[in-house]
Structure formats: C-alpha cells, structure tokens
Amino acid sequence: MSTNKKPRVLLVEDEGAQREVLTYNLEAEGFEVIVAVTGDDALLLVAEEEPDLILLDWMLPGVSGIEVCRQVKARPETRSIPIIMLSARSEELDRVRGLETGADDYIIKPYSVAELMARLRTQLRRTRPASLGERLVWQDILLDSAEHRVWRSGQQVNLGPTEFRLLTTLMEKPGRVWSRDQLLDRVWGRDIYVDTRTVDVHVGRLRKALMRDGGVDPVRTVRGAGYSLG
Ligand code: CA
C-alpha cells in the first residue's frame, strides 16, 4: 500500500453500462474515479478536481468529446493532463485524429481492459511517475516511491509520511510553483480540513531533513505564490 495518493482519473462517458464497467475496472486497478456524464460536467470537473488523467468518450450529448479535449488542451493550467479518447469505430478515430484535438492517445471500443490499463499507465508514467511506484531523481536527491525511501548524495534521509508525500509531489514536477492550497489537495487530500500554515510547518521539516548532512536548500519559497523544487 502506497502512502501516495491514488491517481485520479476523470471518466467522461454518457452510457451507463460502459461507465459502470470502466469505473469497476479502474477502481480495481487502484485508481480513484471521478465520473462525468456530459461534456459540460467534464469541463467543470477538470477545473475543480485537477484529475491526473481523462478518459474521454468521443460521442457525448451536448458538448462533444472533441470540444472537451480542445478546451482542456487550450488552457495552460489543464494542458498537461493526459487525455485518452474512446471511440466506437475506427472511422471516427480517423476523424478525431484529423481534427487535431491534441488528445494524447486513442482507443477503439470494444477494447480489452488490459490494453486500456497499459495505455493509461503509459500516460501516467510520464506525468505522475511516483503513483506507479517509479524512482524519481532530482539533482542529488533520489526517491524510491515503491520502497518509500529517500537518499541525498547517497545518504539515506528519514522522512515522516507527510514529508515523503510532499517531496514526491515536488519531485514529480521540478520547477513548478505549487500554492499552499494545491499542496493541501495533493498531499493531504481535499476531504479533510487542514490550515494552510500546516504546509509551511511540513515544508520546514522537509528542508531540515534534507539539509541534515549539509547541502543547499532544494525547496524554493516563492513569495506570495508558494513553493517549488529548484
Ligand atoms: Ca457515448
């Protein structure tokens, strides 16, 4: 059991039976599933929930899957979320490709669950490697998300579970500036209330642990914005 939060998948599918089967399989594979039935709901949920990946049906009533894809990829804050488009026929798929929607991958229905999961993992390996148990490296820091261990310059660093999740989040996107609220969502989860000052406390502990054997402070405080790694 990983202490990292489960990767969050937004599933956009208007057909109830498809939705149920996919939700069941995704949850069985260890993903947290957020469901949208229409394109409008999907756009709302992308903004509110910041999912790690979107599984998007092409044929939706109202705002189409293509339009959802276009809008997600047009916004700088959501552009990096991988989108896998689901389509009923290969001719549709050719059209989707031709429209240059910016989707990261395409799958034709019916597909095997194993194939879908493999494609999903390929996308997540790129954007959320720690959620799949990969090792992360940044400068002299090595984080093994499967073994829950961290080393700096070859020396093992002891971190509490919260500091470990905090470092994981920072190491997945070096250079990204995280606001305190974004860190609360990612590290603590949005279901519990935690004061934003708690973030500062744990960043302080993380810094102390990482600098115990010397070395520069790897965490940058960005005034009025939050924190980033490097
Ligand atoms: Ca559909």
Side-chain angles (χ1 to χ4, degrees):
M1 178 64 200
S2 167
T3 56
N4 294 318
K5 287 185 61 61
K6 290 177 180 179
R8 260 196 296 219
V9 175
L10 173 63
L11 169 62
V12 192
E13 171 64 81
D14 59 313
E15 286 144 72
Q18 293 266 357
R19 213 160 53 224
E20 274 176 37
V21 171
L22 274 170
T23 303
Y24 173 83
N25 283 301
L26 288 164
E27 286 179 349
E29 292 284 324
F31 297 105
E32 187 188 323
V33 183
I34 307 159
V35 167
V37 178
T38 67
D40 291 290
D41 284 351
L43 288 170
L44 213 73
L45 285 168
V46 169
E48 277 178 6
E49 301 279 342
E50 278 193 57
D52 297 308
L53 185 139
I54 305 171
L55 269 182
L56 181 59
D57 184 32
W58 184 49
M59 290 292 278
L60 294 170
V63 178
S64 72
I66 289 169
E67 189 52 31
V68 171
C69 188
R70 219 178 250 145
Q71 291 198 29
V72 170
K73 292 297 182 185
R75 291 191 190 123
E77 49 300 357
T78 56
R79 183 174 293 156
S80 63
I81 303 172
I83 297 181
I84 300 179
M85 291 279 271
L86 306 171
S87 149
R89 291 189 301 273
S90 58
E91 308 92 77
E92 290 177 353
L93 204 68
D94 290 339
R95 266 190 70 194
V96 176
R97 283 205 185 99
L99 288 166
E100 289 176 7
T101 53
D104 299 272
D105 201 358
Y106 310 86
I107 292 184
I108 303 166
K109 299 178 189 176
Y111 46 81
S112 76
V113 172
E115 159 139 41
L116 176 65
M117 295 304 160
R119 303 271 192 100
L120 221 120
R121 284 177 203 287
T122 300
Q123 293 301 324
L124 287 173
R125 195 159 287 126
R126 198 164 54 77
T127 53
R128 293 289 316 278
S131 71
L132 301 176
E134 308 267 307
R135 281 183 157 208
L136 307 179
V137 180
W138 186 80
Q139 294 190 357
D140 59 349
I141 304 171
L142 170 69
L143 182 148
D144 188 317
S145 51
E147 289 186 18
H148 285 229
R149 294 207 285 172
V150 174
W151 294 265
R152 184 164 198 198
S153 300
Q155 297 287 316
Q156 196 169 336
V157 179
N158 291 313
L159 296 179
T162 304
E163 286 71 40
F164 185 84
R165 286 199 300 272
L166 192 53
L167 181 61
T168 301
T169 300
L170 294 171
M171 283 185 74
E172 279 188 328
K173 290 192 172 67
R176 167 176 170 172
V177 179
W178 295 83
S179 71
R180 288 168 178 81
D181 281 321
Q182 287 169 335
L183 288 172
L184 280 176
D185 278 352
R186 186 54 79 81
V187 177
W188 281 264
R190 53 187 69 212
D191 302 331
I192 46 168
Y193 177 75
V194 182
D195 195 274
T196 51
R197 275 170 297 185
T198 307
V199 176
D200 302 331
V201 172
H202 286 275
V203 167
R205 286 186 194 158
L206 175 63
R207 281 175 161 148
K208 200 173 163 196
L210 288 172
M211 296 193 294
R212 193 196 57 187
D213 296 319
V216 295
D217 184 356
V219 183
R220 191 162 60 93
T221 302
V222 184
R223 205 164 290 278
Y227 296 104
S228 83
L229 188 68

